[in-house]
Amino acid sequence: LGEPFKKARNVIQVLEDNGYEAYFVGGSVRDYLLDVPVGDIDIATNAKPDEMLSLFERTVPVGIEHGTVLILDGDHEFEVTTYRVEGEYDDFRRPDSVEFVRDITLDLSRRDFTINAMAMNLDGDIIDPYGGQEHLLQKEIHTVGQPKDRFTEDALRMLRAVRFASQLNFEIAHDVNDAIIEYGPLINHVAVERIQVELFKMFKGVGLKQGLHSLNSTQLYKSLPVFKEEHSLLTRLNETVKNPIPFENVMIATLTLLSQEHDLNNWVKAYKLSNKLKKESLHLLNCYDEYRRNGINETLVYQLTADYFGHFVELVFIIDQVSIDASELTTLFEQLPIRTRSDLAVTGHDIMSMFPNEKRGPWIGEYLSNIEQLVLQSKLINNRTEIERQVKRWKEQESN
Ligand code: ATP
Ligand code: MG
């Protein structure tokens, strides 16, 4: 077994030594069999949560009522979940109850897709009751059990199907696709925060083309926030976006630029995006605007700041199919006379104290930003005397 699994060996060993079973489950087993990089390691066990708490010293009861305990081992952490089945679903999203069980096969039966419903022990033996390995070979996404049943239990699974199509470059099986066409609107019962997570993962997928294709063939987009009000957006996405989008701020900036009826605020509201993501996306959009007006110059790289060069290059590549050389931006940035406003040889306070009789007000900020522009364009030297001379000239012009 590979590195990530070895790190979890100790946790599984302790459980086994105490007479319990424990398996790797879910995405890690799937990714291991596909020979792609393994993400989080999830473990399932027949030990009950309180039994886990007593066996391990460093634990966090992250979801005890659902059977999940975070076990810390060295500098690694693993989510370990008691085998469980889920009770009735009355709201198309969450089970009313969960019940702990002693059989791994039952636990696997509650999982969404066959490729996610496999378990593996420390020797690499695979438990695969629903044909997951076969479906990995066929590159197809099948539900565990009837698609209709699984999608009416938890409607998010329909978007997860599309997300896995994108992440793995797989096709969605016909019966699954048909069921999504029929039950797609149920996704409106699902919290938009959960939708957001799956949509972001879709855009990061190496098979994004396939993912967007599936979003269309399942018609699921007709039930997703924003897309449902602007159907043509999916067409434009398909024509424009050829590669995965690794950065969420670039994703949102792209979606905003491609929508004709929705602005950034609409996206933020519809998907409850974080303030941080909103701020970053707005920054990229403002810089893109500056780029469209004046191209690559000092003002642009100064506004961007070096942190955003990679993101900006991505955005321009997606929208305009133009490859900007990031090192060109870096070179320009390194030659700038100032990198931020605080590099200016004067502060707002300095300017104010030049005119003791003037009230403070927006004029100070305006002066600063004019000074900033002149310094950036090397039309003014960043030196206190020079700047003060310029400011006096402006004041005199104003009073004339
Ligand atoms: P990745 O971590 O690569 O995004 P993953 O398969 O680990 O993919 P997660 O969302 O982390 O996906 O879920 C872990 C596992 O839990 C899944 O593999 C699946 O077995 C199960 N699972 C997650 N969400 C659901 C759901 N909504 N319905 C049924 N099973 C689910
Ligand atoms: Mg995972």
Side-chain angles (χ1 to χ4, degrees):
L1 293 184
E3 235 354 270
F5 294 103
K6 282 191 193 140
K7 291 175 186 144
R9 171 175 285 274
N10 189 38
V11 169
I12 294 202
Q13 200 66 60
V14 168
L15 286 161
E16 287 186 352
D17 289 348
N18 285 277
Y20 298 105
E21 293 174 8
Y23 291 96
F24 300 110
V25 284
S28 64
V29 180
R30 179 198 68 221
D31 292 342
Y32 167 75
L33 292 171
L34 282 173
D35 203 16
V36 299
V38 168
D40 298 338
I41 298 270
D42 293 324
I43 296 171
T45 179
N46 60 356
K48 300 276 170 59
D50 53 324
E51 294 169 324
M52 288 192 246
L53 294 182
S54 67
L55 281 180
F56 295 91
E57 254 169 44
R58 294 164 57 218
T59 55
V60 186
V62 282
I64 273 265
E65 65 284 13
H66 301 113
T68 305
V69 173
L70 197 67
I71 296 182
L72 311 175
D73 185 63
D75 40 5
H76 304 290
E77 49 181 58
F78 306 96
E79 272 199 4
V80 188
T81 303
T82 307
Y83 299 164
R84 62 166 210 239
V85 290
E86 299 179 338
E88 293 290 302
Y89 286 76
D90 283 338
D91 57 0
F92 310 113
R93 50 192 168 157
R94 289 266 183 236
D96 301 338
S97 61
V98 305
E99 184 193 335
F100 299 137
V101 294
R102 290 280 175 186
D103 180 0
I104 180 75
T105 314
L106 282 174
D107 179 85
L108 296 175
S109 74
R110 73 167 165 91
R111 296 175 182 270
D112 46 7
F113 304 109
T114 58
I115 54 171
N116 290 343
M118 294 181 276
M120 181 169 77
N121 68 10
L122 282 178
D123 296 329
D125 302 325
I126 305 285
I127 301 181
D128 176 15
Y130 307 104
Q133 291 172 99
E134 191 192 333
H135 297 147
L136 282 181
L137 286 173
Q138 294 167 344
K139 295 179 176 283
E140 278 187 0
I141 293 163
H142 291 263
T143 50
V144 174
Q146 290 302 315
K148 172 194 173 192
D149 299 341
R150 306 315 311 282
F151 295 153
T152 49
E153 285 173 358
D154 177 1
L156 183 71
R157 290 171 185 156
M158 297 186 283
L159 184 57
R160 284 174 61 84
V162 172
R163 179 268 265 206
F164 286 116
S166 173
Q167 186 174 326
L168 306 171
N169 204 10
F170 277 25
E171 288 202 32
I172 296 182
H174 283 297
D175 62 331
V176 176
N177 196 83
D178 288 347
I180 301 180
I181 293 176
E182 188 167 353
Y183 298 101
L186 290 182
I187 201 158
N188 287 303
H189 294 273
V190 171
V192 75
E193 290 87 343
R194 293 176 78 209
I195 294 180
Q196 187 199 110
V197 170
E198 300 299 331
L199 206 64
F200 285 168
K201 288 191 174 181
M202 181 195 81
F203 277 110
K204 291 177 192 174
V206 291
L208 180 57
K209 280 258 101 179
Q210 180 69 250
L212 292 174
H213 169 81
S214 304
L215 203 53
N216 188 42
S217 68
T218 56
Q219 303 190 24
L220 189 59
Y221 70 101
K222 294 184 180 167
S223 300
L224 294 180
V226 182
F227 290 91
K228 64 181 161 200
E229 295 157 6
E230 192 177 345
H231 287 185
S232 60
L233 178 59
L234 185 59
T235 316
R236 283 194 296 283
L237 268 177
N238 254 309
E239 287 164 354
T240 314
V241 180
K242 310 285 181 207
N243 298 103
I245 309 182
F247 307 114
E248 290 169 7
N249 50 21
V250 177
M251 261 177 232
I252 298 302
T254 299
L255 287 167
T256 303
L257 286 169
L258 292 182
S259 12
Q260 293 170 344
E261 299 161 25
H262 294 86
D263 61 14
L264 178 62
N265 275 323
N266 296 138
W267 283 97
V268 169
K269 272 204 189 117
Y271 280 92
K272 297 200 184 160
L273 302 178
S274 70
N275 267 330
K276 176 168 179 280
L277 184 51
K278 176 184 172 179
K279 241 178 84 186
E280 292 177 4
S281 310
L282 179 64
H283 179 63
L284 283 174
L285 287 166
N286 286 337
C287 292
Y288 182 75
D289 216 48
E290 166 64 27
Y291 167 72
R292 287 307 292 265
R293 274 185 283 124
N294 299 313
I296 298 174
N297 59 23
E298 286 79 7
T299 314
L300 177 70
V301 291
Y302 179 80
Q303 190 182 346
L304 264 172
T305 72
D307 290 346
Y308 284 88
F309 288 171
H311 301 196
F312 185 73
V313 167
E314 287 270 346
L315 181 65
V316 172
F317 185 74
I318 295 169
I319 302 294
D320 299 323
Q321 285 86 50
V322 169
S323 312
I324 296 175
D325 186 353
S327 67
E328 185 190 343
L329 301 179
T330 308
T331 308
L332 261 180
F333 191 71
E334 279 165 357
Q335 291 165 353
L336 290 180
I338 53 170
R339 304 266 161 91
T340 75
R341 186 173 276 191
S342 57
D343 290 344
L344 280 179
V346 300
T347 63
H349 191 265
D350 294 337
I351 293 179
M352 232 169 56
S353 46
M354 288 173 66
F355 308 98
N357 299 327
E358 297 261 351
K359 275 200 200 141
R360 63 163 73 218
W363 64 274
I364 301 165
E366 281 160 25
Y367 271 38
L368 275 178
S369 106
N370 290 340
I371 295 165
E372 197 178 22
Q373 283 309 313
L374 289 185
V375 170
L376 269 179
Q377 295 162 15
S378 302
K379 291 177 184 160
L380 177 64
I381 298 170
N382 186 27
N383 159 293
R384 185 159 174 170
T385 322
E386 289 296 323
I387 293 174
E388 285 181 352
R389 194 173 291 157
Q390 177 67 54
V391 168
K392 273 187 200 130
R393 237 177 282 143
W394 280 333
K395 267 287 173 206
E396 278 160 20
Q397 281 165 12
E398 275 171 29
S399 47
N400 286 338

